[in-house]
Amino acid sequence: MSRILGVFGVWVILGFLVQNVAAGECPVFKCGKIKNQKDEHTCLQYSSEWIVQKCSKGEYCLGDKFNSVESVVNNTLCAKQEVKDRLPGEHCSKDTECYNQFKCHKGTCQGLVTDQRCVNQFGREEQRYCSPGLFCDSVKQTCKEVTKFGETCTAQAPCEYGTLCAMTKQDAGFSCKKMFSLQDGELVDLTQVFPISTVAYSKEDICQSGHVLRSDKGTYCMPGPQLIDSKRVKEKGAGEVCKYKAFRNPNDLTEYQEFTEYSKCGFNTNGSGYCDVYKGDIEYTSAIEGYKEALQKVDNDCHLLSTLSKCKNLKNKEGKAAKKWEQAQFYIGEGSYAAAADNDKCVKSEIMRSFWEGDSSYQLTVTVFLSILALSNLI
Ligand SMILES: *[C@@H]1O[C@H](CO)[C@@H](O)[C@H](O)[C@H]1NC(C)=O
Ligand SMILES: *[C@@H]1O[C@H](CO)[C@@H](O)[C@H](O)[C@H]1NC(C)=O
């Protein structure tokens, strides 16, 4: 519920803050040529509508840090593009692209191997040093093998990619369980789930739906809320009502509560607004299905901090499925469905680059993940 209130609150505040955009109307974002630019490296400018211009080769638009229309800044500039900090196991074309100046060998960033010391200049263990299939052990401060699916795990020794260390009611102890493996209606103690195995760190990902219902009787895996409105796109822009249902009873999936939210503006050409995606929506549930299949191809070739779509082995169908799931994370996380809907071509490359090409959202997730690792070391 806090998200619902939060979104509403933000919407009300923005109603006052966003000038030039009357309540209801959404700004238009279009590819075009920016006239009278002070700086030839401008990629985004407002003049009755937002004009987006592609940056020259080797540069990228600083607009790709905007997750919502409200955060957009007039006269945004292009900056030099530099590929770096690729993790061991990720694709590369030269050494400088790899984290810690590890070698780029046969198109893949190298990392430390088993029993090598993984400590940085500050004397702290550094997960990013170890090769795929390994993690930096906080006690021994060397790279050690991750725990395999089905094996006994602890909060300190992460499970292999695509699995979480968890204990459910019927288990005698902790073991590495597949993501999205607990059925709807199953009781789950999230304090007993250690998501230190993948970038997809959400504890709720232990449930097949990726969602839980918290009640006074406990926490249950449950399908997420879903749109019951007929239309996700709203021609009148922001502030139109979007109606959802949320399941309330773990024993009865026919029982639900309705709630409403308001459509949001995005970076589209026709000034439309869109209803958000929740975890029960097809955009999310189908992404989970594809992701589960893609995970089967990983075989410990992915660094625990890599997103699946950046993991070198994934191509074609699995690569697409991985990206789709990462995009779905953007909808329910730091972004919105609206931001990525009906993007013009250059909006895709200059503003929503991390969404469409899957690059910088990763930076953010790693931070969250590392802090979880740091926390779990204290347990
Ligand atoms: C954006 O910048 C352009 C050029 O500096 C200026 O003409 C325009 O009024 C600005 N728009 C807003 C909304 O600030
Ligand atoms: C908005 O424009 C896109 C093309 O950019 C089009 O596919 C879509 O149907 C339009 N939506 C509305 C509501 O007009």
Side-chain angles (χ1 to χ4, degrees):
M1 271 327 233
S2 69
R3 169 153 185 233
I4 299 159
L5 288 175
V7 168
F8 179 72
V10 166
W11 182 77
V12 170
I13 293 164
L14 289 172
F16 294 112
L17 288 186
V18 179
Q19 285 144 21
N20 303 323
V21 183
E25 269 174 53
C26 285
V28 166
F29 287 78
K30 268 189 183 148
C31 298
K33 192 136 178 51
I34 293 176
K35 296 178 204 104
N36 315 321
Q37 49 182 333
K38 290 195 208 90
D39 189 306
E40 59 182 316
H41 298 283
T42 310
C43 47
L44 183 62
Q45 190 179 78
Y46 185 84
S47 54
S48 79
E49 51 190 32
W50 288 94
I51 304 298
V52 185
Q53 181 177 292
K54 243 179 130 47
C55 294
S56 49
K57 214 169 150 44
E59 292 199 335
Y60 70 97
C61 183
L62 294 170
D64 79 341
K65 300 288 173 284
F66 304 142
N67 285 330
S68 68
V69 172
E70 291 76 31
S71 58
V72 163
V73 173
N74 201 10
N75 295 310
T76 298
L77 300 178
C78 301
K80 274 245 172 318
Q81 179 174 19
E82 202 182 345
V83 179
K84 54 178 193 183
D85 292 346
R86 294 246 191 267
L87 294 169
E90 289 184 352
H91 176 79
C92 53
S93 51
K94 49 180 191 286
D95 292 357
T96 55
E97 296 180 359
C98 298
Y99 186 74
N100 196 38
Q101 265 117 56
F102 281 128
K103 285 262 166 298
C104 177
H105 180 66
K106 291 188 177 163
T108 304
C109 290
Q110 306 298 297
L112 301 181
V113 297
T114 309
D115 294 332
Q116 276 189 294
R117 240 175 106 71
C118 44
V119 180
N120 64 20
Q121 71 220 50
F122 309 110
R124 298 259 329 168
E125 63 269 13
E126 177 51 88
Q127 296 300 333
R128 285 174 277 196
Y129 286 170
C130 300
S131 294
L134 306 176
F135 75 103
C136 187
D137 186 304
S138 59
V139 178
K140 301 194 181 76
Q141 300 199 311
T142 55
C143 296
K144 292 286 173 200
E145 254 185 67
V146 295
T147 311
K148 295 274 193 309
F149 166 64
E151 288 175 7
T152 304
C153 52
T154 65
Q156 287 78 19
C159 290
E160 67 177 314
Y161 204 92
T163 65
L164 305 167
C165 187
M167 179 166 70
T168 56
K169 226 178 151 197
Q170 54 274 39
D171 297 336
F174 288 97
S175 65
C176 295
K177 292 182 187 300
K178 288 219 155 69
M179 288 173 76
F180 314 114
S181 58
L182 301 191
Q183 304 289 307
D184 293 340
E186 256 189 84
L187 197 59
V188 55
D189 181 355
L190 291 185
T191 63
Q192 306 291 39
V193 177
F194 299 105
I196 47 180
S197 67
T198 58
V199 184
Y201 69 91
S202 170
K203 291 174 175 229
E204 303 186 14
D205 289 342
I206 193 75
C207 298
Q208 66 171 15
S209 60
H211 182 77
V212 297
L213 170 71
R214 289 179 179 84
S215 75
D216 41 10
K217 293 193 195 70
T219 303
Y220 297 87
C221 290
M222 285 288 277
Q226 55 184 250
L227 188 71
I228 44 179
D229 229 334
S230 54
K231 278 174 78 188
R232 192 168 293 283
V233 52
K234 303 286 186 185
E235 275 90 2
K236 292 207 188 78
E240 280 199 76
V241 170
C242 305
K243 209 154 62 164
Y244 298 85
K245 65 177 177 189
F247 301 100
R248 305 305 307 162
N249 183 349
N251 303 313
D252 184 1
L253 288 184
T254 61
E255 210 179 285
Y256 60 82
Q257 221 169 35
E258 287 185 10
F259 66 91
T260 56
E261 243 188 32
Y262 297 94
S263 59
K264 291 181 181 167
C265 295
F267 303 114
N268 57 81
T269 50
N270 29 29
S272 302
Y274 298 81
C275 300
D276 261 336
V277 160
Y278 276 89
K279 285 181 174 176
D281 282 317
I282 185 74
E283 290 85 351
Y284 199 80
T285 55
S286 68
I288 289 183
E289 286 316 306
Y291 190 70
K292 278 201 303 206
E293 276 177 43
L295 275 176
Q296 291 171 8
K297 307 277 171 181
V298 173
D299 199 25
N300 256 334
D301 270 349
C302 287
H303 192 283
L304 291 183
L305 295 172
S306 283
T307 55
L308 193 45
S309 69
K310 283 177 89 188
C311 178
K312 65 176 172 137
N313 275 348
L314 289 178
K315 297 189 186 80
N316 309 329
K317 185 163 159 259
E318 286 82 23
K320 280 204 193 96
K323 183 123 60 113
K324 194 175 156 198
W325 188 70
E326 286 150 24
Q327 291 175 338
Q329 298 302 302
F330 175 83
Y331 295 155
I332 59 148
E334 76 266 34
S336 67
Y337 183 85
D342 291 327
N343 287 165
D344 212 351
K345 194 161 172 258
C346 54
V347 172
K348 284 188 178 174
S349 66
E350 307 308 313
I351 300 182
M352 293 296 291
R353 191 172 76 124
S354 39
F355 179 90
W356 292 107
E357 290 167 29
D359 238 341
S360 71
S361 58
Y362 134 87
Q363 215 59 22
L364 191 105
T365 345
V366 166
T367 321
V368 176
F369 180 93
L370 289 177
S371 54
I372 287 174
L373 265 181
L375 269 180
S376 68
N377 285 339
L378 301 176
I379 296 170

